[in-house]
Amino acid sequence: MLASLPPVTPDPTEQDVWRALANPLRRQLLDELRSGPMTTGELADSIPDHSRFAVMQHLGVLVESDLVVVRRRGRHRYNHLNPVPLRRWYERWVAPLADQAASEMLALERHTEQQTAHEGGAPMAIATDQIRTARVETELRFRTTPERLFRALTEETLAWFPHTYGEERTKAVILEPRVGGANYEDWGNGMGHLYGHVTLFDKPNAFATRSRLMPGVILDSEYTLEADGDETVLRVSKVAVGPMTDDEAASISTYGDLARFQDPLRALVEGS
């Protein structure tokens, strides 16, 4: 018998997620966005058996439920999958139901391991962790050109970002300017710390990286730069997914928020 669940409290946001997921076309749109952000036109083209108007209507429901986040790049509006509401929904509904069944399976597993041990075999230790998501969205303006800001972000990290793994040993932070290039701290003599690899490089408009923060935790970071008069608009999106404690998730939110380090970055790009 399933364990009793906590009492259900009506939540408008949660109801929006239920409503959004109830429609097969909306679920199909979410599937399409799993591979990366797409414009509304691209989404409509990917589902030719539905009209563009229908796609726009259903996409609007997904945006209202916060399952899709819209970001503008130049003349185009890109739709991004937002996994956070899905994770909350999973933790509220799926995990409690699955935990009981998992407990029963683990009890059976322990019984089987005991039997195996009695028979001379070696039991296998299995640990399960709760997967969670941490997301940071930042938008800043700098009175400089996209070229100058892009150079500061990709070539001059040590001049404005105060935290490194190697601390005083860190000689440079390298971001190789190509797709697949390494992003790492150089400590000299072949030593250092690998952040990750470049997944997008479009100088001076955008770049993105994928990093391993800790065992099982992946961080995707995307930077887009857009000229607006004599200013440059910088939009940064960071999404970490994996088994994280509350302290680890809070650390990602702290160090992933570029707004906390904008003053030295602003002094670097606006003063030169």
Side-chain angles (χ1 to χ4, degrees):
M1 181 178 296
L2 292 175
S4 59
L5 296 175
V8 177
T9 302
D11 184 339
T13 302
E14 185 179 274
Q15 292 174 3
D16 287 343
V17 173
W18 277 106
R19 181 168 71 94
L21 295 177
N23 185 277
L25 175 55
R26 292 196 283 270
R27 295 196 298 270
Q28 187 175 355
L29 290 171
L30 293 176
D31 278 337
E32 293 293 332
L33 291 173
R34 289 174 60 188
S35 60
M38 300 172 66
T39 66
T40 302
E42 290 171 338
L43 281 171
D45 292 340
S46 70
I47 309 176
D49 51 335
H50 291 277
S51 69
R52 182 186 178 94
F53 179 73
V55 169
M56 292 176 62
Q57 281 190 313
H58 287 285
L59 190 59
V61 175
L62 294 173
V63 172
E64 290 175 1
S65 63
D66 205 28
L67 290 172
V68 170
V69 176
V70 178
R71 292 286 182 267
R72 181 177 292 279
R73 299 181 193 169
R75 298 180 179 179
H76 299 287
R77 287 163 51 93
Y78 283 85
N79 302 287
H80 296 251
L81 176 64
N82 181 12
V84 176
L86 289 173
R87 170 51 53 182
R88 293 196 189 105
W89 178 83
Y90 172 84
E91 291 178 356
R92 170 62 184 88
W93 293 101
V94 179
L97 294 172
D99 282 348
Q100 178 65 22
S103 297
E104 294 170 358
M105 291 300 295
L106 288 174
L108 175 61
E109 180 183 61
R110 285 191 294 269
H111 173 72
T112 304
E113 289 175 350
Q114 290 172 358
Q115 291 298 109
T116 303
H118 286 311
E119 296 168 3
M124 179 183 295
I126 297 178
T128 57
D129 294 309
Q130 186 180 61
I131 303 300
R132 61 191 300 173
T133 301
R135 186 183 189 100
V136 181
E137 296 284 349
T138 309
E139 181 172 312
L140 301 169
R141 285 178 172 269
F142 297 88
R143 191 172 295 277
T144 189
T145 63
E147 290 79 8
R148 179 66 188 98
L149 183 55
F150 193 94
R151 186 168 75 251
L153 293 170
T154 59
E155 302 177 23
E156 303 170 346
T157 305
L158 284 182
W160 59 271
F161 191 77
H163 304 287
T164 61
Y165 288 93
E167 298 179 340
E168 69 279 355
R169 293 187 295 168
T170 304
K171 300 180 181 299
V173 174
I174 307 297
L175 187 145
E176 296 177 344
R178 59 183 176 82
V179 172
N183 183 200
Y184 62 96
E185 291 179 11
D186 179 11
W187 300 348
N189 298 321
M191 296 184 293
H193 179 91
L194 178 66
Y195 294 152
H197 293 87
V198 178
T199 57
L200 167 69
F201 196 83
D202 181 20
K203 183 179 181 178
N205 305 305
F207 71 96
T209 60
R210 168 161 286 192
S211 308
R212 173 186 177 275
L213 293 182
M214 57 196 76
V217 179
I218 298 299
L219 173 66
D220 282 322
S221 303
E222 183 175 16
Y223 300 75
T224 61
L225 298 83
E226 181 182 354
D228 184 13
D230 59 354
E231 294 183 327
T232 296
V233 180
L234 171 65
R235 298 182 180 90
V236 184
S237 177
K238 293 178 176 283
V239 181
V241 179
M244 291 176 276
T245 65
D246 289 342
D247 288 342
E248 288 168 341
S251 177
I252 291 170
S253 297
T254 297
Y255 296 108
D257 184 2
L258 205 63
R260 296 175 181 270
F261 312 104
Q262 64 173 309
D263 289 343
L265 177 58
R266 190 178 304 282
L268 177 65
V269 300
E270 295 184 356
S272 60

